């Protein structure tokens, strides 16, 4: 089991954010707001290294990005600003 680096660009973000991870196998991406409410969940395919999230409808604030797989996990914070 290892820690997976999660990179966000741009961060702070406005309308969209690109999420990049090292290839690690299949997993689940979950984004939660500062109160712990889940705002997004998406399955990641084996070997998937990046994806783009549209954040234009999200409220400004801090969000927590978590990626969990069988052998790796990672997390980071995302700031949405307008």
């Amino acid at each position: 089991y290892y820690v997976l680096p999660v990179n966000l660009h741009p961060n702070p973000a406005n309308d969209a954010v690109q999420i990049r991870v090292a290839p690690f196998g299949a997993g689940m991406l979950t984004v939660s707001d500062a109160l712990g409410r889940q705002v997004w969940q998406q399955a990641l395919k084996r070997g998937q290294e990046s994806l783009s999230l549209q954040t234009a409808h999200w409220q400004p604030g801090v969000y927590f990005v978590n990626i969990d797989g069988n052998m790796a996990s990672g997390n980071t914070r995302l700031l949405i600003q307008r």
Side-chain angles (χ1 to χ4, degrees):
Y1 201 82
Y2 65 96
V3 175
L4 183 67
V6 179
N7 298 304
L8 307 176
H9 182 76
N11 192 12
N14 186 354
D15 293 333
V17 63
Q18 183 78 19
I19 301 173
R20 296 189 60 82
V21 296
F24 70 99
M28 185 65 67
L29 165 74
T30 306
V31 181
S32 303
D33 67 14
L35 298 176
R37 297 176 297 203
Q38 182 177 304
V39 297
W40 187 261
Q41 186 172 38
Q42 180 174 341
L44 300 174
K45 299 175 187 170
R46 179 176 298 278
Q48 185 173 357
E49 296 181 35
S50 68
L51 64 109
S52 181
L53 288 183
Q54 300 302 312
T55 58
H57 62 282
W58 296 6
Q59 294 297 316
V62 175
Y63 292 82
F64 299 95
V65 178
N66 296 294
I67 297 178
D68 289 306
N70 289 338
M71 298 301 293
S73 68
N75 60 67
T76 192
R77 288 191 302 178
L78 168 64
L79 180 61
I80 301 295
Q81 289 184 332
R82 305 279 184 248

